[in-house]
Amino acid sequence: MRTYAKPIAAVTGALALASTLTACGGSSAASDEKIVTVYSADGLKGEAGDGWYDKVFADFEKKTGIKVKYVEGGSGEMVQRALREKSNTQADVIVTLPPFIQQAGSKGLLQKYAPQGADQVGGGDKASDGTWTSVVNNYFGFIHNKKELPQAPKSWEELLDAKYKDRLQYSTPGVAGDGTAVLIKAVHDFGGQEPALEYLKKLQANNVGPSSSTSKLAPKVDKGELLVANGDVQMNFAQSKSMPNLGIWFPARGSGKPTTFALPYAAGLVDKAPHTENGKKLLDFMLSEGAQREVSAIGGGFPARKDVKATDANAIELAKLLDGVEIFEPDWADIDKNLKTYVDAWKSATGS
């Protein structure tokens, strides 16, 4: 039976994982306009204008005079939008989560460009064809309401309890990166697609329903409308600063060890981008040492560059979150190739 993951690499503590970026060439129609358009998965822009994107984009505009036009949505949603616009490209840079950054590459949406600093991103974390790299490292996770549910659930099986009926929600696989991650982790933890789908079919009895955006679930958990939802470490850690009831946790299968996997924000330069040179400058800036040093302190994530060692209070707290959690590596090539099949199987199993 097909599984989504390669053999597990058991790792504890915070790992600096990345993914890749590269792109050369560009649109001959690129103008001198002082603008760059970014299509991005949600999570890096702060609810109160205090996120990593907010700081980096403001610093970038101050340094270069180039204004960032920002468009946000679910990971898959952003790639689909760029695909629809392929004959009239609007975006210059795409930032999204796996497997959607691989999907963008395989569908010819990205061009090759090696941004400054990409040499400090691990070789295994770069696209083999040089079309993307991660700018912020991250891990998949879940959240719970610490006030109403002080002790986080330990296992997937606990979530089947009747007390979670209509108090649990996860974002939609195939649309949201973190939603797709639910499916990937379940297949890994349950040992294959069939048992994972059997479980998710049972879980559907408690699930509120679809959500195209994972970031919208955190406020519901913080207010107590939901007890549990999916998310990712960077986004939820950043949100917890203004949403004090959020707690991050990682489900295990039965009495096993909790597991997670890297889910980085990976960026690529869009093929035939209207402002290619501006896109290159922004990618260089996001991977600069200065911007990378702010990833944990401001963004609540993990630096993508190996030579940037974060020692701030957030970095220490983030490392503790992952202590004792087993990290596995999904087979992203397989997931990219067969994503539609897997999502269709999930829809069939859950009646979604």
Side-chain angles (χ1 to χ4, degrees):
M1 181 177 297
R2 184 191 300 278
T3 63
Y4 292 130
K6 296 176 180 177
I8 300 172
V11 186
T12 57
L15 300 183
L17 281 104
S19 304
T20 297
L21 200 150
T22 337
C24 244
S27 171
S28 58
S31 73
D32 295 328
E33 194 177 4
K34 288 285 192 175
I35 193 170
V36 60
T37 299
V38 177
Y39 283 7
S40 179
D42 46 14
L44 292 176
K45 202 169 193 306
E47 299 282 336
D50 55 356
W52 186 70
Y53 270 164
D54 300 286
K55 179 68 163 61
V56 169
F57 292 167
D59 289 349
F60 176 73
E61 185 174 353
K62 185 177 179 180
K63 179 181 177 181
T64 64
I66 299 169
K67 184 173 179 59
V68 178
K69 181 181 177 183
Y70 180 70
V71 180
E72 180 181 282
S75 293
E77 181 186 355
M78 290 294 91
V79 173
Q80 288 304 312
R81 177 167 175 168
L83 272 173
R84 289 195 301 270
E85 297 170 349
K86 205 171 180 182
S87 61
N88 182 27
T89 308
Q90 301 297 308
D92 301 300
V93 171
I94 286 183
V95 185
T96 189
L97 306 180
F100 298 102
I101 193 67
Q102 289 89 345
Q103 185 182 81
S106 65
K107 292 185 179 298
L109 287 177
L110 306 177
Q111 56 172 303
K112 295 182 179 181
Y113 173 64
Q116 295 172 24
D119 60 323
Q120 292 297 332
V121 175
D125 299 324
K126 299 176 184 178
S128 58
D129 63 355
T131 50
W132 55 267
T133 190
S134 65
V135 290
V136 172
N137 284 325
N138 192 17
Y139 296 87
F140 176 61
F142 278 72
I143 47 176
H144 69 106
N145 180 293
K146 293 192 293 185
K147 188 176 180 180
E148 293 195 39
L149 195 67
Q151 180 64 48
K154 288 186 169 56
S155 70
W156 286 103
E157 288 82 358
E158 286 183 54
L159 299 180
L160 298 177
D161 191 281
K163 73 178 181 181
Y164 294 104
K165 184 170 177 59
D166 296 329
R167 304 290 300 280
L168 173 153
Q169 190 173 16
Y170 63 91
S171 50
T172 308
V175 175
D178 290 325
T180 307
V182 171
L183 188 55
I184 292 170
K185 177 171 156 56
V187 169
H188 169 269
D189 289 359
F190 284 90
Q193 180 177 327
E194 189 174 331
L197 293 178
E198 286 176 6
Y199 168 80
L200 291 172
K201 181 178 181 179
K202 294 176 184 175
L203 186 65
Q204 198 67 9
N206 290 341
N207 187 17
V208 170
S211 174
S212 63
S213 172
T214 313
S215 65
K216 294 177 181 177
L217 302 181
K220 295 180 181 179
V221 174
D222 183 60
K223 293 172 186 173
E225 294 174 24
L226 298 173
L227 291 177
V228 169
N230 68 314
D232 61 68
V233 173
Q234 176 279 323
M235 177 174 66
N236 296 143
F237 186 85
Q239 289 172 319
S240 70
K241 300 304 178 183
S242 59
M243 301 179 194
N245 294 322
L246 294 186
I248 298 172
W249 65 289
F250 307 92
R253 166 83 187 280
S255 59
K257 289 184 68 174
T259 69
T260 189
F261 60 95
L263 202 59
Y265 291 90
L269 186 65
V270 177
D271 187 43
K272 298 182 177 63
H275 311 99
T276 292
E277 293 307 311
N278 295 348
K280 290 178 180 179
K281 289 175 183 177
L282 179 60
L283 292 171
D284 290 349
F285 194 82
M286 287 196 289
L287 265 187
S288 67
E289 285 192 51
Q292 287 290 301
R293 291 191 189 285
E294 295 175 329
V295 165
S296 56
I298 295 176
F302 304 81
R305 289 179 58 145
K306 296 183 296 182
D307 59 340
V308 174
K309 308 296 182 186
T311 57
D312 57 89
N314 282 355
I316 294 168
E317 197 173 341
L318 286 163
K320 288 180 181 176
L321 277 175
L322 290 176
D323 188 34
V325 179
E326 192 172 81
I327 312 293
F328 67 90
E329 181 185 354
D331 187 345
W332 291 117
D334 173 73
I335 295 167
D336 175 40
K337 182 180 178 183
N338 298 291
L339 181 61
K340 186 179 185 302
T341 301
Y342 299 148
V343 171
D344 286 347
W346 170 81
K347 288 178 180 178
S348 177
T350 59
S352 299

